[in-house]
Amino acid sequence: DQQVKQNSPSLSVQEGRISILNCDYTNSMFDYFLWYKKYPAEGPTFLISISSIKDKNEDGRFTVFLNKSAKHLSLHIVPSQPGDSAVYFCAAIEGGATNKLIFGTGTLLAVQP
Amino acid sequence: DTAVSQTPKYLVTQMGNDKSIKCEQNLGHDTMYWYKQDSKKFLKIMFSYNNKELIINETVPNRFSPKSPDKAHLNLHINSLELGDSAVYFCASSQEPGYTDTQYFGPGTRLTVL
């Protein structure tokens, strides 16, 4: 039972364009969402997060949008750079005392020069 | 100076063997985790320790036993290895176990069971 889904296994965009990565979730108890970025042979690294009380959070070139009614979030990267090429994991946490991340399966982003 | 380190990076072993993976963090964090990424790329939490106390224990076979000798270390011991244990195992740490505390991941240990 996959509670966090990333339906696009891969995405290719041109350098300078916008990359949009999507994530859907099923558990309405999730109240905190994160994006992690992963390069080959490395561990995931935290990118950006959003609380369920917000619908947008921005950090430089990265913006995360949350649509609670649709149980959908997206990560926008603009402008995309070749160094952004990596696997992006969406993750969610239920409100509570422990930091139990529930990950999606990831989207491989390739930014073409 | 790596923040979260794991040893070994690669581990190839036979079915039925017992093996350990070590994790160390130098961030001064109180909470550490083990995750498993299987062949389908699902990344799932296995265990979490806070101040050497087990706080998350997912439905993991009891052949897997985490050990936290101190706050900076969380080792994973696996008994009677099976083919299905082949995966990449990631260690992570966070300042607190609170749900908004950022988790910092190690580089992973690729375990192959033959």
Side-chain angles (χ1 to χ4, degrees), chain B residues 62-112:
Chain B
N62 56 16
R63 297 183 295 104
F64 291 77
S65 54
K67 292 284 192 301
S68 182
D70 55 57
K71 285 196 312 183
H73 296 85
L74 180 62
N75 304 322
L76 183 64
H77 189 75
I78 315 171
N79 289 327
S80 304
L81 278 155
E82 300 177 357
L83 293 176
D85 297 332
S86 295
V88 181
Y89 293 84
F90 290 99
C91 177
S93 72
S94 64
Q95 182 63 56
E96 300 275 343
Y99 70 103
T100 60
D101 281 272
T102 301
Q103 293 184 30
Y104 296 85
F105 283 78
T109 295
R110 182 174 292 277
L111 171 64
T112 303

Side-chain angles (χ1 to χ4, degrees), chain A residues 23-95:
Chain A
C23 178
D24 297 294
Y25 62 95
T26 58
N27 187 343
S28 57
M29 299 301 291
F30 288 148
D31 65 359
Y32 195 72
F33 303 90
L34 309 92
W35 285 93
Y36 275 79
K37 175 180 178 179
K38 184 183 180 304
Y39 291 118
E42 294 184 12
T45 55
F46 171 73
L47 191 57
I48 192 169
S49 61
I50 187 167
S51 164
S52 61
I53 63 173
K54 296 185 174 181
D55 55 18
K56 176 183 174 181
N57 188 26
E58 193 171 350
D59 183 3
R61 297 185 296 114
F62 302 91
T63 303
V64 56
F65 295 92
L66 175 62
N67 182 336
K68 283 187 295 184
S69 60
K71 293 192 177 68
H72 176 84
L73 65 156
S74 60
L75 174 68
H76 292 210
I77 306 173
V78 58
S80 300
Q81 299 173 354
D84 296 329
S85 298
V87 176
Y88 289 78
F89 289 97
C90 171
I93 301 177
E94 280 189 36

